[in-house]
Amino acid sequence: MAPSAMSRGKDNWIASLSEAQPVPYWLEDPGKPAPEPALTTAETCDLLVVGGGYSGLWTALNAKERDPGRDVVLLEGREVGWAASGRNGGFCAASLTHGLPNGLTRWPGEIHKLEELGRRNLDGIEAAIARYGIDCDFERTGEIDVATETYQAWELKDWHRELEEKGLADGIDFLDADAVRAEVDSPTFQAGLWDRRGVAMLHPAKLAWGLKRACLRLGVRVYEHTPALTLKNYGAGMAVRTPYGAVRARKVALGTNIFPSLVRRVRSYTVPVYDYALMTEPLTDGQLAAVGWHNRQGLGDSANQFHYFRLSADNRVLWGGYDAVYPYGGRVRAEYDDRPETYAKLAGHFFTCFPQLEGVRFTHAWGGAIDTCSRFSAFFGTAHQGRVAYAAGYTGLGVGATRFGADVMLDLLDGERTERTELEMVRKKPLPFPPEPFAWTGIALTKWSLARADAHGGRRNLWLRTMDRLGLGFDS
């Protein structure tokens, strides 16, 4: 592209953001329910669930399904689904390990069991959505990992061959350049791996709101605008103080994820990473025909700094990822949710991927924190002599994996030995992050190294190879 044409293209990319609202598209849905009242009294219950995102909602719902007579209370500091659960990309994956590469590297002896449990978990989500009549635009269309560089195409082909050899390729097809572009047409696509059944697309906020309604229907008492302030032993149970009241409970499940855990020792295991996304206006029939996408799969590219993108029910394109911003000190602040420099970068990448959509405008641009840990998939544990359970560290795959994590927490609280609690993934924790300034320095160096690898044929430098040997490497 000539310099003048590139300049015109950049101006057009920036202009496409002129009317974008800095709020999550999903949370503006007119079907958003009114919040439940805040807790203003003293409560007692069998199980207290802290957190009104997917982790807490699934825990409360599954607890009542296991034992309808169990008295369950759920506390949410703001409104159900307002944070990561309501503003993510809406990819509901079967994977419990942040993808097969990560799982196979870390738990090779358990990977078949983990994949089986992940498939059953996704089936369970689909069944629950049908059972409770949750209208969340659920589409089990799968996901395509696409290669946009020649070396990535070769890696995808080699990876598919390895999956076949290990008996892990069921339902996963390798697509060459012509085949992948027949599915979704971008001049940048050189190959793809289509996981046909392992991922569903959905409206993330509607899922959270539907789970809330299902919990209420089963008798869970939900209190919104009720942050949990302290957690202390109280006789044979636990006590949680809130701004206007308190709850005494026999058992407590913590689904607070990126927000500071009420179990202080857990805090060093997670850090916040800010992720950003754009949403286009609805595509016209002609624009949609120009890109194909008849099978409506989710997509993600194969770079370390990757994009994820999908169609909404009304044929908007969600385009997110690439930048992953860690704020010094791990602070979670509302002002970090809006990052225009990242929006401009994402817009440029979008039109590079889909030049045939030039002229499409973005209506929404937003960001927010997700929690990650050093092994890039969830970890679990108990505290206070087994009366408190927690799950955290989902690293962007919480739409599906939080239901599995809910069952793990309930197993641990009930003192049950199950196929879930016997997993090494459940029994062992990741390495904690070091204090500042070491955490920021290490994360910054890792990000720089990953970007460098993307620019140099995927070659991992000494730092990344060392992280790999220590079990801290990120393998997309």
Side-chain angles (χ1 to χ4, degrees):
M1 182 183 293
S4 59
M6 185 176 297
S7 177
R8 288 196 302 273
K10 185 174 182 180
D11 290 344
N12 290 337
W13 301 340
I14 299 299
S16 70
L17 292 162
S18 64
E19 298 175 9
Q21 299 298 306
V23 293
Y25 165 77
W26 310 113
L27 294 175
E28 285 203 318
D29 192 274
K32 179 180 179 180
E36 296 299 302
L39 176 66
T40 56
T41 61
E43 280 274 22
T44 61
C45 61
D46 297 321
L47 174 66
L48 171 63
V49 179
V50 179
Y54 296 140
S55 188
L57 291 164
W58 281 119
T59 303
L61 184 67
N62 290 1
K64 291 294 284 185
E65 288 190 339
R66 289 187 182 197
D67 179 3
R70 180 159 25 190
D71 189 21
V72 180
V73 168
L74 184 147
L75 303 181
E76 163 54 40
R78 289 181 58 176
E79 295 184 13
V80 161
W82 76 273
S85 294
R87 66 179 176 227
N88 63 79
F91 286 64
C92 186
S95 177
L96 306 174
T97 62
H98 204 273
L100 263 172
N102 192 53
L104 190 56
T105 298
R106 298 181 189 282
W107 301 287
E110 292 184 346
I111 192 61
H112 286 87
K113 172 57 70 174
L114 287 165
E115 288 295 293
E116 176 198 346
L117 289 170
R119 287 191 296 270
R120 282 160 47 187
N121 183 63
L122 183 55
D123 289 343
I125 291 171
E126 185 171 11
I129 288 170
R131 184 163 62 252
Y132 294 105
I134 298 174
D135 178 14
C136 62
D137 304 332
F138 186 92
E139 300 178 280
R140 199 157 176 176
T141 54
E143 180 180 8
I144 302 176
D145 292 330
V146 295
T148 57
E149 301 286 347
T150 301
Y151 79 88
Q152 294 171 5
W154 285 108
E155 287 178 349
L156 285 184
K157 191 168 187 177
D158 289 344
W159 175 240
H160 186 251
R161 186 180 302 113
E162 182 178 350
L163 292 179
E164 289 181 319
E165 292 170 354
K166 295 182 183 299
L168 293 166
D170 184 37
I172 301 176
D173 297 332
F174 176 77
L175 308 176
D176 63 18
D178 290 338
V180 71
R181 291 188 62 177
E183 293 297 329
V184 184
D185 190 10
S186 166
T188 67
F189 293 174
Q190 299 192 25
L193 278 186
W194 184 4
D195 183 351
R196 291 179 176 269
R197 291 284 297 167
V199 183
M201 299 293 106
L202 52 75
H203 188 303
K206 285 184 177 180
L207 174 61
W209 301 332
L211 290 173
K212 170 186 164 180
R213 283 190 288 268
C215 286
L216 291 169
R217 188 190 314 172
L218 294 186
V220 176
R221 300 195 300 287
V222 177
Y223 296 99
E224 297 181 73
H225 295 290
T226 305
L229 303 177
T230 61
L231 173 68
K232 295 181 179 180
N233 293 316
Y234 190 93
M238 303 299 300
V240 168
R241 182 172 60 85
T242 71
Y244 306 122
V247 182
R248 298 206 313 259
R250 292 177 56 247
K251 302 288 179 69
V252 177
L254 301 178
T256 51
N257 294 301
I258 193 52
F259 299 102
S261 176
L262 292 174
V263 177
R264 185 173 293 274
R265 70 170 184 268
V266 176
R267 296 180 185 180
S268 64
Y269 288 100
T270 62
V271 295
V273 174
Y274 278 77
D275 179 56
Y276 299 89
L278 306 176
M279 185 69 94
T280 72
E281 61 190 348
L283 300 187
T284 65
D285 290 344
Q287 290 166 334
L288 192 58
V291 294
W293 222 333
H294 308 294
N295 291 310
R296 301 181 59 80
Q297 309 95 329
L299 289 99
D301 58 50
S302 301
N304 293 305
Q305 292 182 291
F306 63 92
H307 306 87
Y308 54 87
F309 39 117
R310 48 80 55 101
L311 289 172
S312 66
D314 60 348
N315 291 329
R316 299 169 183 264
V317 180
L318 179 140
W319 179 268
Y322 195 79
D323 276 348
V325 179
Y326 170 71
Y328 185 88
R331 301 179 182 92
V332 178
R333 293 181 175 173
E335 57 261 37
Y336 299 152
D337 292 353
D338 189 34
R339 200 164 192 266
E341 60 267 42
T342 292
Y343 303 151
K345 189 183 301 182
L346 285 173
H349 296 170
F350 174 84
F351 289 111
T352 299
C353 182
F354 295 122
Q356 65 270 51
L357 295 182
E358 183 176 354
V360 168
R361 305 183 75 81
F362 297 101
T363 59
H364 297 76
W366 71 92
I370 57 176
D371 63 328
T372 190
C373 67
S374 60
R375 72 185 190 192
F376 308 105
S377 57
F379 64 93
F380 315 89
T382 61
H384 295 276
Q385 295 78 49
R387 288 175 288 188
V388 176
Y390 56 83
Y394 289 97
T395 317
L397 279 192
V399 178
T402 45
R403 181 181 178 274
F404 172 82
D407 278 330
V408 170
M409 285 195 286
L410 292 172
D411 290 346
L412 293 173
L413 289 173
D414 290 342
E416 296 181 0
R417 293 183 62 179
T418 68
E419 58 185 343
R420 290 179 290 264
T421 62
E422 293 297 297
L423 292 168
E424 180 184 356
M425 176 189 178
V426 171
R427 291 185 289 106
K428 295 185 178 180
K429 291 185 177 58
L431 291 174
F433 289 94
E436 298 292 14
F438 304 107
W440 188 90
T441 302
I443 292 170
L445 183 54
T446 300
K447 286 181 57 181
W448 177 84
S449 298
L450 290 171
R452 187 178 185 277
D454 286 340
H456 292 81
R459 292 189 295 275
R460 299 171 79 82
N461 63 13
L462 178 61
W463 175 259
L464 292 180
R465 294 197 302 273
T466 301
M467 294 295 100
D468 292 339
R469 286 194 293 272
L470 295 174
L472 300 171
F474 176 72
D475 189 344
S476 61

